[in-house]
Amino acid sequence: MTQSSLPPNPFVAAGMIEDSRLFVGRGDELHAMVSRMTGAQPTSINIYGDKRIGKSSLLYHFFLTWEQRVQDPSRYVVIYLSLQNVQCQRETQFYQAIAKELLNFPTVANNQALSDFLQVTPLDRLAFSEAMRQWKRQGVLPVLCLDDFKTLFENKNEFNNGFYDNLRSLMDSNTLMLIIASQKKLDFYSKKYKFTSSFFNLGHVIKLVELKEDEVKDLLLLPAKNNNNLQPALSMDEQRLTQQLGLNHPFLLQIAGGLVCEARQHGHDKEWVKKRFQSESNRLPSNLNSRSWQRQVHWLIWDLPVNLGKFPKFIGNSIDDVSNWIIGLVIILMVILVIAGVLNWNEVWDFIRDNLGIK
């Protein structure tokens, strides 16, 4: 891999991350997915979480990298399918879409014992179930990573309890494994749409939340995190700014990192980045917009004191950010005391002059 093979701006804020080299974190979730797939009894998984938390990227990354994560890849075939991007108005179209993805694997297309049963007409519920049972006899487990699964729920006439019961039967017999991404847990949708099928009680549930601190650091080091021959796209100061804006949210971090890269390329300053970040984050779902108060608090208790504390640098002193924060915080407290009538401005100036070396 060379540096030219990756874009100068490695941050993806326009949708699902499709390049596995730009995916970081989610190690615990990936381990859980592999563990449930390779266990003595495969266990289907429901991955749920807020919009823009990274569900699609996780599913697609697992699809891209599963062969490096298992000891015997010949025992499995893993596909990724977004039900929002395929024509699935009828139950047979659902099976056809799955069959098409499975047949994309050369090991499937070239094995008649696997492929012939997927190419029957019509590929209805009975035919699809028979195909999956044939795969089990061949010792192969199909693992279906299904994104945007909730698109099926509103079409109850076509995707009814019988449809879900049949999927549950295939899962219970270790014939098929599903990894389903949804915004809410599946049992939420069973109540909302009044389904009675036991399908909605999947064996394992993973809630996708914000990134851990070490995962945030890894993201800020892109593209160097996954290749020691490359340099991070962001300088240390740019990494700090990106984290101050995005906090621990993967999508907000991607937006912030992308804007910081763009600002450097076009000669814009930090204020331009902050204004653009505010504008772009305002278009996001309300659950992300509600985080703006956290950034405001961060600015009040960290950014403002640090910037005030940097004042001595204008006269040649060198002070790190922690010292800047302490000095700036003291200045803010003294200003508050002036307003409260406890101190006067001359005393504040005397403190700055005596302790910061300003004459």
Side-chain angles (χ1 to χ4, degrees), residues 281-349:
S281 62
N282 281 339
R283 301 198 306 268
L284 297 177
S286 58
N287 65 292
L288 296 189
N289 286 333
S290 64
R291 294 174 51 84
S292 62
W293 68 270
Q294 297 181 38
R295 289 190 290 276
Q296 293 169 2
V297 171
H298 190 281
W299 176 84
L300 181 62
I301 67 174
W302 178 262
D303 292 351
L304 180 59
V306 166
N307 289 330
L308 285 173
K310 286 180 179 178
F311 180 71
K313 290 186 176 180
F314 289 107
I315 61 167
N317 291 343
S318 178
I319 303 176
D320 62 24
D321 274 351
V322 175
S323 298
N324 290 335
W325 177 77
I326 295 172
I327 294 168
L329 193 59
V330 170
I331 294 173
I332 291 175
L333 291 174
M334 294 185 75
V335 170
I336 293 173
L337 292 175
V338 169
I339 295 173
V342 178
L343 297 177
N344 59 55
W345 287 111
N346 288 333
E347 290 173 305
V348 175
W349 178 248

Side-chain angles (χ1 to χ4, degrees), residues 267-280:
H268 301 302
D269 60 12
K270 289 183 179 180
E271 290 307 312
W272 180 90
V273 173
K274 292 177 180 179
K275 289 179 180 178
R276 283 289 304 276
F277 179 84
Q278 184 64 39
S279 174
E280 295 198 18

Side-chain angles (χ1 to χ4, degrees), residues 22 27 69 74 92 136 168 195 202 209 234 266 289 292 343:
L22 301 180
R69 301 176 184 277
S74 65
T92 54
K136 183 179 180 180
R168 182 62 190 239
F195 288 111
L202 285 192
V209 295
L234 303 177
H266 298 283
N289 286 333
S292 62
L343 297 177

Side-chain angles (χ1 to χ4, degrees), residues 29 46-49 205-209:
E29 291 83 358
N46 176 205
I47 298 175
Y48 78 101
V205 177
I206 298 175
K207 182 178 182 180
L208 210 59
V209 295

Side-chain angles (χ1 to χ4, degrees), residues 154-171:
E154 293 183 357
N155 190 357
K156 287 187 65 174
N157 289 333
E158 194 69 20
F159 300 99
N160 52 27
N161 282 308
F163 165 76
Y164 294 113
D165 284 341
N166 186 64
L167 287 180
R168 182 62 190 239
S169 176
L170 293 173
M171 292 187 293

